[in-house]
Amino acid sequence: MSRVVMAAALAASLLVAVPASGTAADTDYTLSIDPTVKGASIDDSMYGVFFEDINRAADGGLYAELVQNRSFEYDRADNAAYTPLTGWAPTGGTLDVVDDDARLNERNRRYLRLGLPAGVINSGYNSGIAVESGKRYDFSVWARTDQAAGTPMTVGLTDPAGKYFAPPVNIQVSGDGWAKYTGTFEARESSTTGRLLLNAGGTGTLRLDMVSLFPQDTYKGHGLRKDLAEKIAALDPGFVRFPGGCLVNTGSHYGYEAPNFERRRSYQWKDTIGPVEQRATNWNFWGYNQSYGLGYHEYFQFSEDIGAMPLPVVPALVTGCGQNRATDDPALLQRHIQDTLDLIEFANGTADSTWGRKRAEMGHPEPFELTHVAVGNEENLPDAYFARFTQFKAAIEAKHPDITVVGNTGPDDTGTTFDRLWQLNRDAGVKMVDEHYYNSPSWFLENNERYDSYDRNGPKVFLGEYASQDNRFANALAEAAFMTGLERNADVVKLASYAPLLANEDYVQWRPDMIWFNNHASWGSTSYEMQKLFMTNVGDHVVRSTASGTPSTREPITGAVGLSTWATAASYDDVKVTSAAGQELFADDFSAGAGKWTGSGRGAWSVVNGAYVQSDAAAENTLVTAGDPTWRDYTLNVKATKQSGREGFLVAFGVKDTGNYYWWNLGGWNNTQSAVEKAEGGAKSTLITDATKVETGRTYDLRIEVRGRKVQLFMDGQKWGEFTDDSVAEPFRQVVTRDEATGELIVKVVNAQSNAARTKIDLGPDTWVVPTAKATVLEGLPDDVNTEFTQPVKARQTQVRVSSSFTHTFPPNSVTFLRIKDRRR
């Protein structure tokens, strides 16, 4: 077939069948690709994963230990509901958790003392200990007895009623010194409600510690839960960022000091290596205890097992995540700097070096090939942080010049902290800077060009944490649209990782999350499916491509007004709304009560002395609204006074409903900064920010002027800030890369709208392609959510017909990757 005839025939072909889309119409686009123009190279490590022990991601998650609170170290300092016997229940005899000189070792201080005969049972995580028929499980315990003849103990795997799932293990504890006892169960049936039962007979006292049950079948035999590790490995990540996140740099930066050690410590790597029974325990920032069974050696080993670059984060002695405190102790700073140098030696040193020997003793004589170290996480005190960061950087580069030291830009995508830290990093010649942001789907659709204007000669970007604020398919589509911009700017954005990675469905502190699980099953969110599609189809470099946009119009900001608080008691008075022409639209001095306002049911609102007061200093998001949702071009005036609490005021405008509004957040983030936030579908993004703090007892005269899509804000007659919300949420995005190994063009198209996108694709007159291409498609409804029982969003593959010029219709709410083979490669 001649080239001309073939092109005509293929152009007439329908390449991928479009499912029925109701009344949705097609929108016409063009996509021009020039395969001869090579763009930015894309590193193999472009996309990775970020592991933080949040949502029970480690204990009860990736770390395969099935016993909860195995060493009786839970404490009220970790969680107000905890006791040293959380997860355990007595079945007879007397039980005490003891911390005395008879302990197992210095860092594992508590143990269980039983007055015999006695028994105890552990309920594991979620609904219980999950076991699978035919699988083997290894039990171990450290024990000692004061009986010269020894103490018999029976260990069983049972259901809640006491029925055995496997033949019990019989152990004879001998001697009044700690010794480790082991046994193995083979499950005869499957269950998700298992219990581990220990019964000891005789008389006297039995002491137990480190009660453990592990499946023999772990990921590559390295102690990690297999299904979770396999889902992470299936992403083919280029790097693993660990161990956080907020738990890295919150709490005390001082080390373990027995006996009165600070449980609320930042994550310090030396606590987490060596035999597990000798590792310290710690409070976890996210509200539970972390055993450190999953420690630095395990993180390095896992990175190696999945072929990813390890990227550890160490504390910089400035707390983040709302704590915002700098530790001023030069000796402590030098100790942490030396710890970081020792960490590099632990990872990369020879087996006869001091810390390389520690690694070798743990079973890994060869180095782990560490290349990057991040210092700090989301610090909101930029100058204090950077003064310490530069000392880390100088020490690391002096001894290990091949290590890339990564700085950061605070907790948001814009604002005074972000700008200041970028300036400091740029001026200091930092090689790579970590950015974090969690925003609404619209923000991701609006900011595809974010990195187009970044300095090509400045620091490279590590996008260490990002996500759209929900787990619906609409969120994954918005993230995909944004990721096309990351790839197009791969010369600037060198690393990127969605966050967080894991969430146990019964222990959730944060959402959205990429992979969800319970004690027996795991499933990928829609964002997991999207990340997997991008991460396994990266390509080696960008190819020039341009696409037409979607016609759109921007209506003026419209909506009612509102008042709110967040962990603060405050009063409001003299609320007035006037039109741009000066006509009064609304006024309330609360002399007649608060009948004009509609509440959400949160907070304690009442009229007190002629003002509208929210008096509950613990209540969050107490929004009350008034007025007409069709208002536009108006001025809102209000007087606000903070009475008590952690933050300041929230004055809303453009209110459509409780999930869609703007608000002026004065004294937010524990009264460390102020901002205007935009909420869409309940997800917020920040439009402008500064360092304004709110004084308790002072009355502020606030004014907000809304004109079209421009907003000006005034405090006590002085302009506080202004913005114009005119960004367009473009739903049709694309990027094209080339896979040099296969000679394929990877055409990646996001269609994040309800209309199908009929697209004329032109590869240029000099391009010869194989007429059949592989299409991988993710599509669904915007509100689709993947769960344990139903996963409506999964990739499907099909063969399609292509040519150098053809028309293809991309389904509504879809992402399509076309792998088109160049016949000359």
Side-chain angles (χ1 to χ4, degrees):
M1 182 183 290
S2 74
R3 187 172 173 216
V4 173
V5 174
M6 180 178 67
L10 297 181
S13 298
L14 180 62
L15 303 183
V16 176
V18 180
S21 54
T23 59
D26 290 357
T27 302
D28 289 325
Y29 295 91
T30 60
L31 171 55
S32 298
I33 302 168
D34 188 345
T36 66
V37 179
K38 182 178 179 179
S41 295
I42 306 175
D43 295 345
D44 291 341
S45 56
M46 171 76 178
Y47 294 122
V49 294
F50 164 48
F51 183 94
E52 178 173 10
D53 188 359
I54 183 174
N55 310 313
R56 282 284 186 190
D59 297 328
L62 185 62
Y63 185 52
E65 173 66 75
L66 297 173
V67 175
Q68 183 177 184
N69 190 20
R70 67 183 177 186
S71 59
F72 311 100
E73 299 291 342
Y74 277 28
D75 193 275
R76 286 178 59 84
D78 308 328
N79 186 298
Y82 280 176
T83 75
L85 281 172
T86 294
W88 295 91
T91 62
T94 61
L95 279 71
D96 297 291
V97 176
V98 182
D99 178 359
D100 62 17
D101 290 343
R103 67 180 65 90
L104 176 60
N105 58 62
E106 186 60 41
R107 288 173 174 256
N108 193 325
R109 301 183 64 80
R110 294 174 180 166
Y111 63 88
L112 182 65
R113 183 173 61 194
L114 295 89
L116 301 176
V120 65
I121 193 167
N122 187 271
S123 57
Y125 297 93
N126 300 94
S127 58
I129 294 173
V131 295
E132 189 175 343
S133 179
K135 293 294 182 69
R136 296 172 66 84
Y137 299 85
D138 290 332
F139 166 79
S140 66
V141 63
W142 287 78
R144 58 189 291 186
T145 178
D146 64 359
Q147 298 299 295
T151 295
M153 183 167 62
T154 300
V155 185
L157 265 177
T158 76
D159 69 7
K163 172 188 173 184
Y164 283 102
F165 293 136
V169 171
N170 296 309
I171 292 172
Q172 182 74 14
V173 179
S174 303
D176 201 10
W178 288 104
K180 187 176 182 179
Y181 299 85
T182 63
T184 298
F185 299 100
E186 182 172 337
R188 294 182 295 201
E189 59 183 280
S190 298
S191 174
T192 62
T193 60
R195 302 291 189 265
L196 182 68
L197 174 65
L198 290 79
N199 278 321
T203 60
T205 299
L206 177 69
R207 295 175 170 87
L208 303 177
D209 205 348
M210 291 297 291
V211 184
S212 175
L213 185 69
F214 258 87
Q216 284 190 355
D217 187 18
T218 62
Y219 187 69
K220 297 195 175 182
H222 289 141
L224 301 186
R225 179 171 152 175
K226 195 171 184 180
D227 63 324
L228 293 179
E230 286 176 342
K231 281 186 171 58
I232 298 169
L235 295 167
D236 193 21
F239 65 88
V240 178
R241 177 177 179 248
F242 64 87
C246 285
L247 61 83
V248 164
N249 65 335
T250 49
S252 168
H253 296 299
Y254 289 90
Y256 177 91
E257 297 287 345
N260 298 315
F261 64 97
E262 174 58 66
R263 292 184 72 93
R264 297 195 165 205
R265 304 188 309 281
S266 58
Y267 198 104
Q268 300 176 40
W269 77 272
K270 289 180 180 178
D271 286 345
T272 76
I273 64 168
V276 290
E277 68 273 11
Q278 296 177 18
R279 300 182 190 182
T281 190
N282 203 5
W283 155 87
N284 180 297
F285 175 82
W286 297 108
Y288 50 90
N289 177 273
Q290 52 190 342
S291 72
Y292 287 153
L294 180 57
Y296 255 75
H297 182 270
E298 290 76 19
Y299 285 124
F300 279 123
Q301 183 67 70
F302 181 53
S303 300
E304 180 179 86
D305 284 345
I306 63 176
M309 175 182 81
L311 206 166
V313 185
V314 299
L317 274 69
V318 176
T319 55
C321 304
Q323 294 186 354
N324 301 324
R325 295 189 302 271
T327 299
D328 187 13
D329 184 334
L332 182 64
L333 176 62
Q334 291 306 310
R335 195 268 286 173
H336 275 270
I337 291 172
Q338 185 59 51
D339 281 355
T340 304
L341 297 175
D342 294 343
L343 170 62
I344 296 170
E345 183 176 285
F346 176 78
N348 292 352
T350 60
D352 60 358
S353 64
T354 300
W355 290 98
R357 184 178 302 111
K358 296 280 189 182
R359 181 195 68 240
E361 290 169 354
M362 296 184 72
H364 201 285
E366 297 302 316
F368 281 117
E369 300 181 2
L370 178 66
T371 59
H372 291 65
V373 173
V375 177
N377 173 77
E378 295 189 8
E379 285 78 12
N380 206 29
L381 300 174
D383 290 281
Y385 159 71
F386 208 76
R388 292 155 178 79
F389 170 83
T390 52
Q391 294 188 57
F392 278 88
K393 178 175 177 289
I396 294 169
E397 291 179 347
K399 192 167 184 178
H400 303 282
D402 53 334
I403 296 290
T404 298
V405 185
V406 183
N408 76 72
T409 61
D412 211 343
D413 60 278
T414 188
T416 53
T417 295
F418 178 88
D419 292 340
R420 177 61 175 158
L421 280 170
W422 254 112
Q423 175 191 341
L424 292 168
N425 279 284
R426 189 179 298 109
D427 292 348
V430 175
K431 295 178 182 177
M432 181 172 285
V433 178
D434 190 4
E435 293 188 355
H436 295 178
Y437 37 81
Y438 299 90
N439 289 318
S440 68
S442 291
W443 185 94
F444 284 94
L445 293 174
E446 292 167 0
N447 282 274
N448 178 275
E449 293 90 4
R450 173 180 177 87
Y451 296 105
D452 289 3
S453 59
Y454 270 50
D455 182 2
R456 277 27 221 174
N457 298 313
K460 303 305 179 184
V461 172
F462 172 23
L463 181 49
E465 298 183 32
Y466 74 97
S468 168
Q469 294 165 331
D470 207 338
N471 268 146
R472 299 176 301 123
F473 189 47
N475 299 88
L477 288 167
E479 292 153 6
F482 187 73
M483 292 169 77
T484 65
L486 299 183
E487 292 192 10
R488 188 177 63 252
N489 289 285
D491 57 329
V492 169
V493 183
K494 306 304 289 185
L495 306 171
S497 50
Y498 178 101
L501 178 62
L502 295 174
N504 186 318
E505 65 175 352
D506 291 335
Y507 307 91
V508 179
Q509 292 86 38
W510 180 278
R511 65 178 71 226
D513 302 285
M514 193 192 295
I515 300 170
W516 290 78
F517 64 93
N518 50 39
N519 67 349
H520 62 278
S522 58
W523 57 97
S525 67
T526 62
S527 292
Y528 171 85
E529 297 297 334
M530 192 68 71
Q531 292 289 326
K532 184 178 178 181
L533 181 60
F534 273 84
M535 293 170 73
T536 56
N537 292 277
V538 180
D540 296 290
H541 64 82
V542 177
V543 171
R544 178 187 288 175
S545 64
T546 57
S548 57
T550 307
S552 67
T553 58
R554 298 291 282 165
E555 297 294 329
I557 293 173
T558 59
V561 298
L563 308 170
S564 189
T565 59
W566 200 291
T568 302
S571 65
Y572 296 96
D573 205 354
D574 297 331
V575 180
K576 186 176 182 180
V577 181
T578 56
S579 70
Q583 176 187 2
E584 184 177 286
L585 302 176
F586 177 89
D588 200 344
D589 63 3
F590 303 101
S591 59
K596 300 177 181 179
W597 297 82
T598 300
S600 61
R602 291 185 291 271
W605 288 95
S606 61
V607 176
V608 180
N609 297 325
Y612 202 18
V613 178
Q614 197 294 107
S615 56
D616 184 348
E620 298 179 346
N621 197 13
T622 64
L623 182 67
V624 293
T625 62
D628 189 336
T630 67
W631 279 344
R632 54 180 285 185
D633 297 329
Y634 60 80
T635 299
L636 166 63
N637 290 87
V638 61
K639 292 188 171 93
T641 308
K642 174 181 177 177
Q643 296 182 339
S644 64
R646 299 201 311 261
E647 303 204 350
F649 322 117
L650 295 162
V651 181
F653 56 98
V655 179
K656 298 185 184 303
D657 53 48
T658 55
N660 297 274
Y661 54 84
Y662 300 80
W663 67 20
W664 190 4
N665 185 349
L666 283 163
W669 297 272
N670 291 323
N671 204 17
T672 61
Q673 60 179 311
S674 297
V676 174
E677 296 178 281
K678 179 182 179 181
E680 296 174 285
K684 292 195 288 291
S685 55
T686 301
L687 301 181
I688 56 172
T689 183
D690 80 352
T692 300
K693 300 176 178 61
V694 168
E695 300 174 24
T696 301
R698 173 183 166 185
T699 298
Y700 293 82
D701 189 352
L702 308 177
R703 183 169 90 248
I704 302 172
E705 295 181 357
V706 181
R707 302 291 186 270
R709 300 201 66 81
K710 181 178 180 179
V711 178
Q712 298 185 87
L713 306 102
F714 299 83
M715 176 186 291
D716 296 329
Q718 301 296 313
K719 182 183 284 190
W720 176 87
E722 66 180 9
F723 67 91
T724 301
D725 184 18
D726 58 0
S727 297
V728 175
E730 172 58 60
F732 186 81
R733 295 291 189 183
Q734 102 297 329
V735 69
V736 181
T737 63
R738 186 182 290 282
D739 185 333
E740 292 288 358
T742 64
E744 293 170 315
L745 293 173
I746 312 174
V747 180
K748 312 175 188 185
V749 176
V750 181
N751 184 31
Q753 61 182 326
S754 297
N755 292 344
R758 185 171 51 229
T759 307
K760 182 179 179 181
I761 301 174
D762 188 353
L763 300 175
D766 297 323
T767 303
W768 291 70
V769 299
V770 174
T772 301
K774 182 177 76 174
T776 305
V777 184
L778 283 174
E779 62 181 307
L781 300 175
D783 288 334
D784 279 345
V785 176
N786 285 353
T787 71
E788 177 184 357
F789 305 104
T790 177
Q791 297 176 38
V793 177
K794 296 205 77 166
R796 64 176 177 85
Q797 292 186 352
T798 185
Q799 297 293 315
V800 302
R801 304 289 290 175
V802 297
S803 69
S804 60
S805 180
F806 59 96
T807 297
H808 177 76
T809 300
F810 296 98
N813 302 306
S814 70
V815 177
T816 303
F817 281 23
L818 298 174
R819 278 187 167 265
I820 301 174
K821 181 74 167 68
D822 190 329
R823 297 180 72 176
R824 293 175 296 185
R825 286 176 174 254

